[in-house]
Amino acid sequence: MRVDAVRGRRVLVGDAFVPATVVVQRGRIAAVEAYEHEAEGVVVQAADTAYVVPGVVDTHVHVNEPGRTEWEGFASATRAAALGGATTLVDMPLNSLPPTTTVEHLRVKRAVARDQLMVDVGFWGGAVPGNVGDLEPLWDAGVLGFKCFLAPSGVDEFPPLDPAQFLLALREVARFDGLMIVHAEDAGVLAAAPQEAGGSYRAFVRSRPHEAETAAIRQVIDGARETGARVHVLHLSSARALGMIADARAEGLRLTVETCPHYLVFDAERVPHGAAQFKCCPPIRDAGNREELWAALRAGIIDCVVSDHSPATAEEKGRGDGDLQQAWGGVSGLQVGLAVMAAEARRRGIGLAEVSRWMSRHTADLVGFGHKGRIAVGADADLAVYDTGVDFRVEAAQLAHRNPISAYDGIRYGGRVVRTVVRGNAVDVDRPDHTWGRMLERVR
């Protein structure tokens, strides 16, 4: 359904919620008028208990198609995104087969994605040993930046960069002013950590200690200083790195940082024994660490919040029969991220406007999409209606994710997304032919 306007008592314009009517023309926001404005055509009326916010721009999603489509896929991922208020997602270069490490592999992925998208989708490229010569061609082909690992990724086809390879790739990315995004855990620290088999989450955390993150982030900062490259730290879980991040910012280094809802909601002490749905790398840490991450978000040391949706089949999640060292690591949270963050922030006295900045505006800015992540004249008409009057109990089996596994299963939240609009189109997630999404390239 093509929408001509969205009206609500609480519409996020700039940093404040105001009564407004958002007028849409040709997929973009043509005007932000008074609430009483008589708009023509199809008007979406938000309930008095609802908030109209920019659609979430989730820049960290593992779609896994082609090659591991049984883990997720573009159809299921973008349907889940739409149901959760995400209007744009950016696909990681792994765990698909082939990984997005060459222009030809990017073409394969785009061909598979075509005609399956309910929301807009962009693509990260990958930096792996031996593909330095592929980075600029990928950049020219429209990828939004390059992901690399400093420790094993979990899949053989996407190996990590050693320190020399990382510096070489950073120099190349700096040369054409690209962006390097880094899974920052140190291989040496991980290799020296105790690897205790079994289902104890605390033991699993000991196998991925704080020092793995702090050592790797120090390497990223040193590399940014030496090369001048733009760098972004993925899924920060350790608050012990916050001081060096703040110092690097003060120094003027071009460093940005993200964290994820699961690091802001859960704590290691409360994870049940053998519960592989909570396993992720880096791991969920203690409650005190969690609250430090919240404080860093509010202080601007952490820039944004993304899902790091990293799903797998029940077989992969259950590998090792409860042994967390063997189970696939990744939390499935694409569909629930906005509802989870809104509720958890509200408990801490943090408004939805701040949450939207972390999940929409700042993520859009990270990838250069100034036309997304905000309700402003000229921006894409990407909107989510979040209603606090509608109760939401997460049931993993009812989520649109391909596999019914979720760390959020059974949790009840006071509020959920009830309508998503993608470039002026109200998405009907019950129609498989309703594919309004398009593939995005870097804004040149």
Side-chain angles (χ1 to χ4, degrees), residues 59-313:
T59 54
H60 196 146
V61 179
H62 294 267
V63 176
N64 303 326
E65 188 176 13
R68 292 188 175 96
T69 309
E70 69 275 14
W71 293 22
E72 193 60 271
F74 285 102
S76 56
T78 58
R79 182 171 184 268
L83 283 165
T87 52
T88 303
L89 61 83
V90 185
D91 172 58
M92 282 292 168
L94 73 164
N95 304 298
S96 58
L97 293 168
T100 316
T101 52
T102 69
V103 171
E104 180 54 36
H105 292 175
L106 176 63
R107 290 195 190 104
V108 170
K109 182 165 284 193
R110 284 176 171 160
V112 170
R114 189 171 293 113
D115 302 324
Q116 293 199 73
L117 308 181
M118 286 193 175
V119 303
D120 290 348
V121 174
F123 302 93
W124 294 113
V128 295
N131 85 324
V132 169
D134 293 298
L135 300 183
E136 188 172 21
L138 277 165
W139 184 250
D140 291 341
V143 300
L144 305 178
F146 306 93
K147 180 174 186 176
C148 72
F149 282 75
L150 303 182
S153 69
V155 289
D156 292 341
E157 67 275 3
F158 204 96
L161 301 177
D162 66 25
Q165 293 165 338
F166 177 63
L167 201 57
L168 183 66
L170 267 189
R171 289 191 190 283
E172 175 66 2
V173 169
R175 185 181 63 78
F176 53 79
D177 199 28
L179 172 65
M180 183 72 84
I181 65 174
V182 186
H183 181 122
E185 288 184 287
D186 183 88
V189 174
L190 293 179
Q195 304 292 314
E196 181 181 333
S200 166
Y201 202 86
R202 290 187 180 185
F204 171 65
V205 172
R206 288 194 293 272
S207 75
R208 320 285 300 203
H210 289 276
E211 292 73 21
E213 285 191 81
T214 56
I217 291 170
R218 189 174 297 110
Q219 181 183 348
V220 172
I221 290 170
D222 289 345
R225 182 183 297 111
E226 182 170 342
T227 65
R230 288 190 294 145
V231 292
H232 178 74
V233 173
L234 298 167
H235 45 49
L236 178 72
S237 86
S238 175
R240 295 186 190 177
L242 294 171
M244 72 174 76
I245 290 168
D247 289 346
R249 293 273 186 75
E251 185 182 335
L253 300 183
R254 297 193 293 171
L255 168 69
T256 49
V257 181
E258 71 184 33
T259 192
C260 308
H262 42 275
Y263 300 130
L264 298 166
V265 174
F266 304 117
D267 62 83
E269 294 90 340
R270 295 176 182 268
V271 174
H273 189 86
Q277 65 268 32
F278 293 89
K279 179 186 174 180
C280 52
C281 301
I284 295 163
R285 302 192 187 276
D286 62 86
N289 181 90
R290 178 190 63 202
E291 298 311 313
E292 289 187 68
L293 295 179
W294 276 103
L297 269 169
R298 301 207 70 182
I301 299 171
I302 299 174
D303 302 275
C304 47
V305 177
V306 297
S307 70
D308 187 13
H309 179 67
S310 185
T313 61

